[in-house]
Amino acid sequence: MELKAENISFSYNKKRQILKDVSLSVNSNQIIGLIGDSGSGKSTLCKIMAGYISHYSGNVTLDGKEIPDRDYYPVQLIFQHPEKTMNPKWKMEKVLNEAWTPTQELKDTFGLKDSWLTRWPSELSGGELQRFSIIRALNPKTKFIIADEISTMLDAVTQVQIWEALINHAKANHIGILAVSHDPELLEVICDDILYFNEINNL
Ligand SMILES: Nc1ncnc2c1ncn2[C@@H]1O[C@H](COP(=O)(O)OP(=O)(O)OP(=O)(O)O)[C@@H](O)[C@H]1O
Ligand SMILES: [Mg+2]
């Protein structure tokens, strides 16, 4: 499969255009890195590609077809701050099973401990919470993952553990990944190709 963004242009308001004619594509067997200045519009592009923003111009397609948003959205966005995407009044077990019921194997792959399931989100570390948000996004219907600085707040060892697990799962299940990061060394290690945001944004 191919996830394609073509000629995406977007502004939040009349004062400033954020994206101009941005195009990129990711295949199912690929991990593509995206690097660029803070505030330049990377997360905005991620949100457009994952269906969070609709009033843009251009096209986002899967194998040439527009992505219907009435069903499960096959492009899943994982954010930098997992706690912001979780209901603080839900125990982790409910948070985890909100969209689908992950297999024990997947939980083991990400080192998710059973004892975490009975806690509140505020009682887990950033790295522990991020494992939950990644597993949540790996619904079997997911075809592409957009990882927007998902390991920025983690130490080096945890970062490697999480990326290894995610990449192994993605390769085995033909999931393509767009990985946004400010860390060129990380992208060099994990990506098949790296895109420079200022080169693809034609402002
Ligand atoms: N909802 C919004 N309304 C208005 N402006 C916004 C909104 N969200 C983001 N912006 C602005 O759009 C610009 C691009 O933001 P975006 O989050 O896409 O950048 P980024 O490249 O992801 O930056 P970083 O590397 O710091 O994460 C910024 O100037 C930001 O202030
Ligand atoms: Mg961002």
Side-chain angles (χ1 to χ4, degrees):
M1 283 191 129
E2 183 185 26
L3 171 65
K4 223 173 179 178
E6 282 173 295
N7 301 112
I8 304 293
S9 297
F10 178 78
S11 318
Y12 286 106
N13 51 51
K14 286 185 187 135
K15 281 192 197 134
R16 180 183 161 210
Q17 184 166 8
I18 307 282
L19 305 173
K20 187 177 180 196
D21 286 334
V22 176
S23 298
L24 66 84
S25 103
V26 188
N27 282 308
S28 296
N29 56 354
Q30 280 185 319
I31 300 170
I32 301 294
L34 183 61
I35 195 160
D37 299 341
S38 198
S40 58
K42 302 178 302 298
S43 295
T44 304
L45 178 65
C46 291
K47 286 178 188 157
I48 287 173
M49 292 182 73
Y52 284 73
I53 293 175
S54 54
H55 53 289
Y56 60 91
S57 66
N59 296 300
V60 178
T61 54
L62 256 190
D63 283 345
K65 296 189 199 89
E66 272 192 31
I67 307 170
D69 61 5
R70 56 178 186 277
D71 311 320
Y72 182 78
Y73 210 78
V75 182
Q76 286 287 309
L77 179 55
I78 306 173
F79 296 87
Q80 178 178 356
H81 296 288
E83 67 282 0
K84 288 189 185 164
T85 66
M86 293 170 183
N87 187 334
K89 292 179 181 163
W90 286 8
K91 292 264 175 85
M92 292 313 296
E93 180 151 32
K94 191 169 174 188
V95 170
L96 181 66
N97 293 291
E98 184 181 6
W100 73 295
T101 307
T103 59
Q104 190 58 44
E105 189 192 351
L106 195 59
K107 289 191 254 180
D108 292 343
T109 304
F110 281 89
L112 202 130
K113 298 204 176 81
D114 281 341
S115 61
W116 298 346
L117 294 171
T118 51
R119 297 193 204 163
W120 307 104
S122 60
E123 296 171 339
L124 290 174
S125 75
E128 290 161 358
L129 286 177
Q130 196 59 297
R131 292 165 209 256
F132 281 87
S133 41
I134 295 171
I135 294 173
R136 273 201 317 187
L138 294 175
N139 185 308
K141 293 180 196 158
T142 299
K143 305 292 181 211
F144 287 89
I145 288 286
I146 299 187
D148 190 5
E149 299 196 50
I150 62 169
S151 59
T152 306
M153 72 304 190
L154 309 177
D155 66 60
V157 174
T158 311
Q159 174 159 307
V160 169
Q161 279 174 353
I162 287 186
W163 270 110
E164 265 189 358
L166 178 55
I167 290 171
N168 288 341
H169 181 87
K171 293 286 177 205
N173 293 278
H174 310 290
I175 294 170
I177 300 179
L178 179 65
V180 180
S181 174
H182 285 288
D183 182 349
E185 286 167 21
L186 170 73
L187 294 182
E188 284 291 340
V189 173
I190 65 170
C191 295
D192 300 298
D193 198 7
I194 299 175
L195 303 172
Y196 295 86
F197 192 71
N198 62 349
E199 290 177 8
I200 60 169
N201 195 13
N202 300 291
L203 278 176

